[in-house]
Structures are given as structure tokens and as C-alpha cells.
Amino acid sequence: MGIFSKTCEYGLRAVFFIAQRSQENKRVGIKEIAENIHSPEAFLGKILQNLSRAGIIRSMKGPGGGFYLDASDMSTPLSDVVKAIDGENLFVGCGMGLEFCSEQYPCPLHHEFKSIRNSLSEMLQKTTVGQFNDDLIKGKILLTKSKITPDQDT
């Protein structure tokens, strides 16, 4: 179970994958991204289109085209990716999903959730898209939910 919506999970994994390939001076197509992050291709296409419109990723049509990031895109905070996909609700919303929750009229979880939400927001603002590229390239971290067998964990 994750803290992000399914759409946001796929979006974050796609951005990390594109960043990794971009560091290797490669552009990637939607089919390759979908296969490597275990995402439905049609669903991913809509997510990538949204991320492209928001300026999070870039795309080039034609032979040798695909999705990519340039050097300046690598410093994009992950909070920008989350906002482009899910909006601001993760950073300002109620932990119970109540519309009326506020400082003046708090829900039962308001004060504890506010602290967690603020910590998450700070972490996502400080963490950049390109920050994990070396570990992804070396295979030290993963972008799929695939199960690791003991002999792979070396």
C-alpha cells in the first residue's frame, strides 16, 4: 500500500525511469517505460501527456524520439511531479478526506496528520527527480513491485 494515488505512483516511477535513461543519453518510448515500470500502456500515456504539458518531462516525435529530461529537469522537486498529477490535496488536504477540516474545525486526526503531511511535503520538496539515478543505474534501487528472491539481493 502506498501513500500516493495509483496514477501518481505510475507517474513517479515513469519520471524516475525517464531520468535514468536520460542520464544515459537515451530517449524512451511509452512501450519501454510501461514494460519497465509494470504499468498499463494506455493509462501511462495519459499520465505522460499530463507530465509533458506540465513541463516535468519532455518529448520528441519521430525517429530517435521519445520521452526525456535535460540536465535542468533533473533538479525538479518530486513535489512538482505529485502536484502535476494529483494537485495540492496531499499537501493541504485532510487525512480523513473531510472537506470541512481546518484549524478552527479539526477532524479527529487533524493535528497528528498535519505534522506527517508537513514532513512528507518537506521531503518531496527537497528530493529531486535526478537524485536516484546512480543507484537506479547500478540496480541498487528498483522501480517495480517485483519480488526480490534471496539470490538477487546481493
Side-chain angles (χ1 to χ4, degrees):
M1 179 175 122
I3 59 169
F4 302 108
S5 70
K6 183 59 76 178
T7 305
C8 195
E9 286 179 12
Y10 286 141
L12 284 166
R13 292 193 317 229
V15 169
F16 286 135
F17 183 77
I18 294 166
Q20 173 193 355
R21 290 298 198 256
S22 295
Q23 185 170 319
E24 299 168 338
N25 295 316
K26 296 177 183 174
R27 293 186 185 101
V28 291
I30 188 168
K31 184 174 182 147
E32 182 181 355
I33 299 167
E35 287 174 0
N36 281 277
I37 68 166
H38 299 177
S39 168
E41 198 173 318
F43 186 45
L44 182 62
K46 293 176 184 179
I47 297 168
L48 295 175
Q49 188 176 51
N50 187 25
L51 290 170
S52 183
R53 273 195 223 114
I56 305 292
I57 60 174
R58 300 170 190 263
S59 65
M60 181 180 286
K61 294 182 180 185
F67 294 97
Y68 67 99
L69 299 172
D70 67 18
S72 66
D73 299 326
M74 296 295 183
S75 62
T76 300
L78 295 184
S79 58
D80 287 3
V81 179
V82 174
K83 288 175 189 175
I85 296 170
D86 282 344
E88 300 265 341
N89 198 42
L90 180 67
F91 305 107
V92 297
C94 171
M96 294 179 63
L98 303 176
E99 290 182 36
F100 63 83
C101 181
S102 67
E103 289 295 317
Q104 188 176 5
Y105 302 104
C107 75
L109 301 178
H110 181 78
H111 299 293
E112 289 78 11
F113 182 75
K114 181 179 173 184
S115 174
I116 293 166
R117 182 186 67 209
N118 290 346
S119 294
L120 177 62
S121 177
E122 183 179 339
M123 183 270 298
L124 291 171
Q125 289 172 17
K126 289 182 178 179
T127 307
T128 65
V129 167
Q131 193 168 326
F132 304 103
N133 275 346
D134 290 338
D135 286 342
L136 280 168
I137 291 167
K138 292 174 186 173
K140 291 183 177 181
I141 55 178
L142 304 173
L143 292 177
T144 66
K145 293 182 178 184
S146 298
K147 198 172 192 179
I148 301 294
T149 58
D151 60 328
Q152 290 177 313
D153 194 26
T154 56

